[in-house]
Amino acid sequence: MRLAIVSPFPPEISGVGQYGARLAEGMLRAHRFSEVCVYANQSAAAPVLEHFNGLTIRRVWRRGSAAAAYVILRSLVAWQPDVVWFNLGLTVFGQSRSHNFCGLSAPMLAKWAGLPTVVTLHEIFEAANLRALGAVNGRITHWGGEAATRLLLNADTVCLTLRSYVRLIQQHYHAHNVVHLPHGTFDPPRFAPIPSDKRILIFGTYAPYKGLPELIEIYRGLRAADSALVLTIAGSDHPRFPGYLAEMQTRAADVPGLEWRVGVPENHLPALFESARVIALPYTATTGASSVVHRAASHGRPVVAYGLPDLRTVAAEEGLLIEFVPPGDRVSFAVRLLELLNDPVGCERIGRANVAAMQVSTLDVTCRRYIEIFEAAVQRRAALGRPVTSP
């Protein structure tokens, strides 16, 4: 069986892209596919065609292009895979609403062309706080969000990472082809000893709603009382906010003990997480099940976060211990950070509990579940007897 994966892909740093990359490698190791080809976004830092750990990477679509869906469909029909997996967020195709709407039509077009099609949607419009995310929030946006979701629901199966998302989509759209598939972990769950350094880590793709300026101010206050503290800021700009990290570096040039790690390679991330004593998530809004939470849990590191609905749902559904404080309460956030930084035994207790919780959703487990979904989609399409057609 030949598997096509449509997804953002490294060297870009993004939760959706890294999820797609690790799952693609896991699918190949499962030995259920004769070929796995990733149809990825174009990148100045990567060739148009490359072979990576047994995968074929074809960079065929471009962010900010209204033709992304057509280019993807043309490539898929030319290769004629047995099944297509679309690994998507609502904004993976560009900064504008129109570019994302056009791109999100690709799964529907692939199904119309006769290809068994599975979609993983990491965020849903119905659960997003658009104003907090810095997105346009008006009638056109709401109409477009609902219309895009209906397009995506044309796929054979739509996978959502939170049970609460499944319930919302079923209730709002009366959909019967949505399933819950937990995010899971990228790396084998492993507890690494708590480091001696009092290091805070924030990692991600940065946008105003990630709370970086707020964390820097919290750290400034903590550092004034304890010069042993270090804050590592790692990751890259969010595609919708280019230049954001450079602006933050300029604004925080006078803050002592800051370490900037921009563009960390994927294979350096386990060591990065294990170098920290505490992971900080000062987000003011979320876009689904956080990949940072899952990375922190799989490496046995406690997380301090504002108690936003998505994060509380992840903790409840997956049995994770996350140190929540009231949203917007900087004093409580600072106090809990300091308590954990000064309590390595408590950090270990939380870390070991989270590593144990992640054992039930390893990469292999997630891949096996996807393969079951892919095979069911292929069987349903074979029963219909629909041949693949040209675009």
Side-chain angles (χ1 to χ4, degrees), residues 19 27 85-88 117-124 152-153 155-163 165-166 169 177-183 366 369-374:
Y19 182 91
M27 299 294 181
W85 174 44
F86 287 85
N87 175 49
L88 304 175
T117 303
V118 175
V119 171
T120 295
L121 191 56
H122 290 267
E123 55 192 331
I124 63 171
L152 292 167
L153 287 171
D156 290 288
T157 304
V158 175
C159 304
L160 302 171
T161 56
L162 295 174
R163 287 193 184 91
Y165 283 7
V166 173
I169 295 299
N177 61 335
V178 291
V179 298
H180 172 236
L181 208 160
H183 184 287
T366 305
R369 181 72 180 105
Y370 270 114
I371 290 168
E372 292 171 358
I373 293 169
F374 295 159

Side-chain angles (χ1 to χ4, degrees), residues 84-104:
V84 186
W85 174 44
F86 287 85
N87 175 49
L88 304 175
L90 293 177
T91 60
V92 299
F93 289 106
Q95 297 188 43
S96 76
R97 294 173 297 182
S98 59
H99 289 150
N100 283 302
F101 184 85
C102 291
L104 292 172

Side-chain angles (χ1 to χ4, degrees), residues 122-124 128 133 165 209-210 238 283 285-290 310:
H122 290 267
E123 55 192 331
I124 63 171
L133 293 172
Y165 283 7
Y209 63 88
K210 296 296 181 73
H238 190 286
Y283 301 169
T286 53
T287 56
S290 169
D310 280 352

